[in-house]
């Protein structure tokens, strides 16, 4: 049985975009002279791009009726498909004191992210279409980034009873996941994979064994030993991953392994993919830059789950990203209120505010020669679109959704935690220097970030 | 309508994690861990403690160094011995002492650690002596206290217990003198022990010839050898020719965590008996941070035997804590002068 094509929840904000005055054509855009980098279609060239009615209309030759289109001179800039963030907590519903869909969607588009995937660990849990509709409405009201829902794999994420997967998928959920929370037993995991495979739904798995990671808050290694922090061994990730791969052999489910942290896990994924399993995998941006060393001063912003591991693990993650074993970089965004991090390290809540560093950290990988620029951009666009089976975004072909980010590649800036747009200021990257910054972002052809120049008359 | 209120800015973390122990002029402000003190400061603390030993022997056991200062014992985890020796040390320096057992008061009412701290700070405290069951708690408190307040770590989770380690090396120095030719063995539950971690740092800071740890694999943390120790699983092998044996307390709940089968097996393999002690050098001393579980990690005949210096450790602890308090407060006296 197959469901209708997976487009996610369609977001078409009804209100007019900012900066649009009466009498001007808000729908049509002419982005002139940008270096268009579209890894999904192998494009890297200086082009003129024309947007109409939320879609990419044409390249280079203006279509008819574009005389009054709004024009942006984008010479010297890079135009990339809008970033798709595979896993970003928006804290709504349920933890609005930390952040809201509106606050995080604004932060997202300021950093070139046009699509946010919301994991199901909201309160109430995203295990019904009603919650998905609520989130969709909040996203529409915010009128910024598109928000796609990842439904719960089990009712209440309790790992005991399957969720209504088909209904969730029909209601717009692009994937299903039990987050890192445990399943009752392996039999239930197997059945969940089988049932999801019936409808061709991607299952997102975050491998973390509950007993091996119990009370843990740091990578088992020399730093945790010195600081006396309860450790989380690598086997907390690899043991459940090995079980998952064994189950995949029998179920044929499409699985995405989210946010691996260890060299051993990269090797296992590489082998499973070589064996032809329908497995994709991702890594969070901060895991490519930080290591256990950063935990050294009990920095609560480096209290993360999975924990920051050794430099050798970090290098293996970079290698896995470069060779394509890890196809996606995501933010693992977890905005917190200040109090959540104001406690002794083990008592703080894990997670960092990552939306505004996702693209900068990934561009920095290209700058440092870890992988070519177009590959780096692919990990943020084509990679997550393929992992979720989204065909409408992640690329810049004519007819695709006009989700775009325009980057000034020469802008040098340093990150100040106090000026983040996200409601969560919990970043370990305070004071880091970056080159390249998003100047404009379009979602469905509407300018949602950046100042529009006067329209051509 | 949102209510706005201004919170104090939280300082961003310094690149050197332990620089926080010193003030801008390089004077000791907090004692959180042995790391970062270096041999100069450790020696200075031990020398100062040596001077205070004579105070302890006087009839009037008081000096006026901390007169008018308030020391607050902030214990989030129960302790009798450590709290008592800190209290005695502060009183012998003529400070006013306040004992707060937080586990039974504010924490259970949902007050945050920081709120508790601010309230006590408002009572014009000059020094916090902190014990907490979470690693990094003393460091966290030191980051958030007012500039005039000093923080002494009296044990945080599995991380550090610096005054215990200082009193241990003080005891060793008084008996053995030079550290460079010494072999020191630490035996037992290294994994959960803040005492062991601080002892290892202190012994290595003083250039000890060899520091050994002796334990089954389940009671050793990962990469423990990177702390600068030689690892032994066989106690008989590990005790051979050592000058100092330090036994650690074994918490009974370790059996339930699946780390050990039984107390009996642990005692048979890792308990210190006269027979095993005979493998060490004839003049070897036996230490224990207390409270000892007799018959679990140490045999009574050894604990009470001629080689045991366990009670000396306790009395030395007062002088060492006086030294640390006096040194941390010295900068205040200098600033006021």
């Amino acid at each position: 049985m197959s469901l209708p094509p997976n487009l996610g929840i369609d977001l078409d904000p009804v209100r007019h975009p900012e900066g649009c005055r009466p009498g001007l054509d808000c729908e049509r855009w002419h982005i002139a002279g940008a270096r268009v980098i579209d890894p999904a279609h192998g494009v890297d060239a200086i082009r003129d791009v024309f947007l109409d009615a939320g879609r990419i209309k044409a390249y280079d030759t203006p279509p008819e009726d574009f005389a009054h289109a709004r024009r942006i001179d984008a010479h010297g800039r890079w135009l990339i498909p809008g970033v798709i963030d595979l896993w970003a907590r928006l804290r709504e519903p349920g933890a609005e004191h930390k952040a809201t869909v509106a606050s995080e969607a604004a932060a997202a588009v300021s950093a070139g992210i046009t699509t946010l995937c919301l994991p199901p660990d909201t309160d109430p849990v995203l295990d019904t279409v009603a919650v998905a509709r609520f989130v969709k409405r909040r996203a529409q009201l915010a009128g910024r980034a598109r928000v796609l829902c990842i439904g719960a794999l089990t009712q209440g994420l309790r790992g005991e009873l399957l969720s209504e997967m088909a209904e969730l998928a029909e209601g717009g959920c692009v994937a299903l996941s039990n987050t890192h929370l445990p399943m009752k037993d392996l039999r239930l995991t197997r059945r969940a994979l089988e049932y999801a495979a019936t409808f061709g739904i991607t299952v997102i798995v975050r491998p973390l064994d509950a007993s091996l990671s119990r009370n843990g808050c740091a990578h088992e290694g020399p730093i945790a030993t010195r600081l006396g922090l309860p450790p989380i061994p690598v086997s907390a990730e690899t043991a459940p991953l090995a079980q998952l791969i064994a189950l995949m052999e029998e179920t044929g489910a499409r699985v995405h392994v989210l946010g691996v942290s260890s060299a051993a896990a990269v090797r296992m994924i590489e082998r499973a993919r070589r064996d032809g399993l329908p497995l994709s995998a991702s890594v969070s941006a901060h895991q490519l830059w930080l290591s256990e060393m950063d935990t050294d001063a009990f920095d609560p912003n480096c209290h993360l789950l999975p924990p920051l591991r050794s430099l050798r693990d970090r290098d293996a993650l970079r290698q896995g990203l470069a060779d394509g074993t890890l196809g996606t970089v995501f933010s693992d965004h977890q905005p917190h209120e200040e109090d959540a991090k104001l406690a002794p390290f083990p008592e703080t809540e894990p997670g960092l505010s990552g939306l505004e560093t996702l693209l900068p950290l990934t561009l920095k990988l290209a700058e440092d020669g870890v992988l070519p620029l177009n590959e780096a951009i692919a990990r943020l666009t084509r990679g997550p679109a393929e992992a979720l089976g989204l065909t409408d975004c992640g690329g810049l072909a004519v007819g695709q959704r006009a989700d775009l980010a325009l980057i000034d590649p020469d802008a040098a800036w340093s990150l100040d935690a106090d000026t983040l747009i996200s409601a969560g200021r919990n970043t370990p990257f305070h004071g880091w220097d970056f080159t390249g910054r998003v100047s404009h972002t379009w979602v469905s052809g509407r300018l949602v970030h950046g100042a529009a120049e006067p329209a051509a008359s | 309508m949102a209510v706005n209120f201004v919170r104090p800015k939280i300082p961003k973390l310094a690149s050197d994690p332990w620089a926080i122990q010193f003030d801008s002029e390089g004077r000791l402000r907090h004692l959180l861990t042995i790391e970062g003190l270096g041999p100069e400061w450790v020696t200075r603390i031990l020398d100062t403690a040596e001077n205070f030993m004579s105070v302890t022997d006087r009839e009037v056991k008081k000096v006026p160094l901390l007169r008018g200062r308030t020391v607050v014992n902030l214990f989030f985890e129960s302790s009798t011995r450590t709290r008592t020796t800190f209290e005695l040390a502060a009183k012998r320096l003529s400070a006013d002492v306040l004992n707060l057992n937080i586990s039974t008061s504010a924490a259970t009412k949902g007050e945050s650690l920081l709120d508790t701290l601010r309230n006590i700070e408002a009572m014009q405290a000059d020094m916090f002596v902190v014990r907490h069951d979470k690693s990094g708690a003393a460091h966290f408190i030191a980051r958030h206290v007012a500039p005039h307040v000093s923080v002494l770590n009296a044990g945080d989770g599995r991380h550090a217990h610096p005054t215990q380690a200082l009193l241990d090396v003080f005891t060793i120095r008084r008996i053995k003198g030079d550290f460079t030719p010494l072999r020191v063995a630490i035996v037992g539950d290294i994994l959960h022990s803040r005492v062991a971690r601080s002892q290892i740092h202190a012994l290595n800071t003083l250039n000890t010839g060899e520091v050994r740890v002796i334990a089954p694999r389940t009671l050793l943390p990962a990469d423990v050898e990177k702390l600068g120790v030689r690892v032994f699983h066989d106690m008989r092998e590990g005790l051979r020719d050592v000058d100092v044996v330090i036994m650690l307390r074994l918490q009974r709940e370790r059996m339930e965590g699946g780390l050990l089968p039984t107390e009996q097996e642990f005692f048979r393999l890792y308990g210190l008996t006269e027979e095993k002690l005979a493998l060490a050098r004839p003049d070897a001393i036996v230490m224990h941070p207390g409270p000892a579980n007799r018959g679990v990690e140490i045999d009574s005949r050894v604990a009470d035997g001629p080689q045991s210096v366990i009670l000396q450790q306790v009395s030395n602890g007062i002088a060492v804590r006086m030294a640390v308090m006096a040194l941390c407060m010295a900068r205040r006296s200098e600033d006021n002068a």
Side-chain angles (χ1 to χ4, degrees), chain A residues 336-347:
Chain A
H336 282 299
E337 81 282 19
E338 205 177 353
D339 284 341
K341 292 288 190 183
L342 278 179
F345 187 93
E347 289 185 343

Side-chain angles (χ1 to χ4, degrees), chain A residues 214-234:
Chain A
R214 186 172 301 146
N215 299 331
C217 61
H219 167 62
E220 185 175 67
I223 302 292
T225 290
R226 259 187 51 226
L227 298 183
L229 293 173
I232 300 178
V234 165

Side-chain angles (χ1 to χ4, degrees), chain A residues 42-72:
Chain A
V43 174
D44 185 352
I46 310 288
R47 310 287 288 268
D48 275 23
V49 184
F50 300 92
L51 317 180
D52 187 16
R55 303 261 157 191
I56 294 168
K57 178 81 171 172
Y59 278 100
D60 298 334
T61 319
E64 285 176 43
D65 303 333
F66 259 64
H68 297 287
R70 298 214 286 177
R71 184 177 184 279
I72 279 198

Side-chain angles (χ1 to χ4, degrees), chain A residues 220-222 225-231 296-300 338-339 342-347 417-418 430, chain B residues 7 9-10 12-13 17-18 35 113-114 132 134-137 139-140 144 158-159 197 221-223 226-227:
Chain A
E220 185 175 67
T225 290
R226 259 187 51 226
L227 298 183
L229 293 173
D296 205 7
F298 292 114
D299 181 353
E338 205 177 353
D339 284 341
L342 278 179
F345 187 93
E347 289 185 343
D418 297 324
H430 177 78
Chain B
R7 309 184 62 130
K9 268 263 180 279
I10 293 157
K12 299 287 186 278
L13 286 164
W18 310 121
E35 286 183 88
L113 175 51
L114 216 50
H132 198 285
K134 292 292 185 286
S135 302
H139 192 260
F140 169 75
H144 293 281
R158 306 176 186 179
H159 172 229
R197 285 173 174 82
D223 300 300
K226 290 193 180 150
L227 297 176

Side-chain angles (χ1 to χ4, degrees), chain A residues 404-428:
Chain A
L404 313 157
L406 192 60
I407 298 169
D408 176 355
D410 303 319
W413 57 288
S414 56
L415 187 128
D416 180 352
D418 297 324
T419 60
L420 287 181
I421 294 170
S422 164
R425 304 282 160 85
N426 46 308
T427 175

Side-chain angles (χ1 to χ4, degrees), chain A residues 226-227 296, chain B residues 18 21-22 32-38 159 201 205:
Chain A
R226 259 187 51 226
L227 298 183
D296 205 7
Chain B
W18 310 121
Q21 299 193 102
F22 300 96
L32 310 175
T33 169
I34 301 291
E35 286 183 88
L37 291 185
H159 172 229
H201 291 310
T205 303

Side-chain angles (χ1 to χ4, degrees), chain B residues 240-295:
Chain B
R240 207 170 296 279
D241 297 326
V242 299
D243 302 276
V244 179
V245 185
I246 302 177
M247 300 305 297
L248 298 173
R249 180 180 164 78
L250 184 81
Q251 307 278 349
R252 280 163 202 260
E253 61 263 25
R254 304 303 171 221
M255 271 36 92
E256 285 138 45
L259 293 164
L260 292 172
T262 57
E263 284 178 6
Q264 288 74 20
E265 174 144 318
F266 181 78
F267 183 70
R268 189 169 65 79
L269 297 174
Y270 298 98
L272 187 63
T273 56
E274 285 179 323
E275 178 241 336
K276 283 187 206 142
L277 182 58
L279 296 165
R281 287 176 57 101
D283 62 346
I285 54 170
V286 174
M287 303 173 76
H288 193 299
N293 289 317
R294 288 159 186 259

